[in-house]
Amino acid sequence: MNQIAEHLLQVKERIVQAASRAGRSRDHIQLLAVSKTKPLEAVCEAYAAGQRRFGESYAQEAATKIDTLREQGACADIEWHFIGPLQSNKSKLVAERFDWVQSVDREKLIERLNNQRPSGLAPLNVCLQINISGESSKSGTSEQEIFRLAELVSRCERLRLRGLMAIPEHTSDEAVLAAQMVRMQTLFTELAQQYPGVDTLSMGMTEDLELAIGHGSTMVRIGTAIFGARDYS
């Protein structure tokens, strides 16, 4: 067993234990392997170990990976999630290749993704990203804008509203993190009551996945614990 396969097993066990402590079913929590900045070989190793959902944050890098795999006829059933800030001039790359975009945070991006999604593909699954910590350095819309943007997405023929995504504050203060996650859980519940197709609360990373699962996360985005430290070179 290679190192990535071992790490995947360890992460899955963490999810099982966190779900058990929260009184939740493990089946209701999805694992997204965050492969941004990682080589294609790492994606293939995780795929060989059974992982099927992968998250990318850089449009051009991700497009190259996806196109290479398709040219090779490899890993055809990967579910690709775009999770990073998306510039409008890169939206076509994403609309044509990805299954999900979790970082939708403005009206212009909604319009572009809908217009650029090929008609031969299934509707693009969308999560609205909330800047739940209110940090100026982070992407995401405000809590007040969520329901207006959700309504816009729901009217788009080539998009499908699935839920919410957030990156809570990077802090060791668990009380601060918990408060932000409670707010996300509340917003998610309110959105799901209004839109029956909403089923995804994407929240929790390597450091805080247990806390996120305890506060209703249905998808955790794990990079470091699977692939090792991020490579910025």
Side-chain angles (χ1 to χ4, degrees):
M1 184 183 297
N2 63 49
Q3 192 173 53
I4 288 176
E6 291 179 2
H7 290 170
L8 273 168
L9 286 176
Q10 292 166 3
V11 170
K12 289 175 181 178
E13 181 57 29
R14 286 177 64 185
I15 293 172
V16 167
Q17 293 179 5
S20 177
R21 287 194 295 270
R24 300 179 59 197
S25 169
R26 163 65 179 91
D27 295 339
H28 295 162
I29 303 158
Q30 297 177 349
L31 170 59
L32 185 69
V34 178
S35 50
K36 61 182 179 181
T37 77
K38 298 302 177 183
L40 192 57
E41 292 76 15
V43 172
C44 293
E45 285 186 24
Y47 181 90
Q51 182 63 26
R52 293 295 181 269
R53 296 182 179 91
F54 291 84
E56 293 281 337
S57 294
Y58 306 110
Q60 189 60 62
E61 173 198 328
T64 299
K65 288 179 182 176
I66 294 169
D67 291 347
T68 299
L69 287 175
R70 288 177 179 169
E71 289 168 6
Q72 295 174 349
C75 309
D77 58 341
I78 284 181
E79 184 178 278
W80 292 102
H81 293 238
F82 192 82
I83 60 175
L86 182 55
Q87 298 174 340
S88 294
N89 64 356
K90 298 291 180 65
S91 61
K92 191 169 188 289
L93 285 173
V94 171
E96 292 179 343
R97 291 167 175 81
F98 279 77
D99 303 293
W100 288 64
V101 180
Q102 296 196 22
S103 50
V104 173
D105 60 0
R106 59 194 184 278
E107 183 173 346
K108 181 180 180 181
L109 187 55
I110 292 170
E111 294 172 352
R112 289 181 68 87
L113 289 171
N114 184 59
N115 292 336
Q116 294 168 340
R117 181 68 168 177
S119 60
L121 297 179
L124 186 61
N125 296 291
V126 166
C127 287
L128 300 172
Q129 182 176 357
I130 302 179
N131 184 355
I132 196 64
S133 63
E135 296 170 89
S136 60
S137 60
K138 282 186 179 173
S139 299
T141 191
S142 66
E143 297 177 41
Q144 293 73 28
E145 279 285 279
I146 284 300
F147 291 92
R148 184 183 73 85
L149 294 181
E151 178 63 21
L152 293 175
V153 173
S154 73
R155 294 176 183 174
C156 290
E157 181 181 357
R158 305 305 308 154
L159 305 180
R160 181 184 176 197
L161 181 64
R162 295 298 296 271
L164 301 176
M165 185 270 266
I167 305 172
E169 190 172 340
H170 183 66
T171 175
S172 59
D173 190 332
E174 191 168 301
V176 171
L177 273 177
Q180 293 173 11
M181 290 179 177
V182 166
R183 185 59 186 154
M184 283 299 302
Q185 189 173 19
T186 299
L187 290 168
F188 172 68
T189 299
E190 293 173 359
L191 192 69
Q193 289 172 346
Q194 189 169 337
Y195 298 97
V198 166
D199 58 5
T200 301
L201 176 56
S202 176
M203 182 173 71
M205 296 184 285
T206 293
E207 299 84 2
D208 59 9
L209 76 84
E210 286 86 0
L211 193 64
I213 289 171
H215 289 88
S217 174
T218 68
M219 183 181 292
V220 291
R221 309 182 305 272
I222 309 300
T224 301
I226 296 172
F227 297 108
R230 196 181 307 175
D231 181 6
Y232 292 95
S233 61

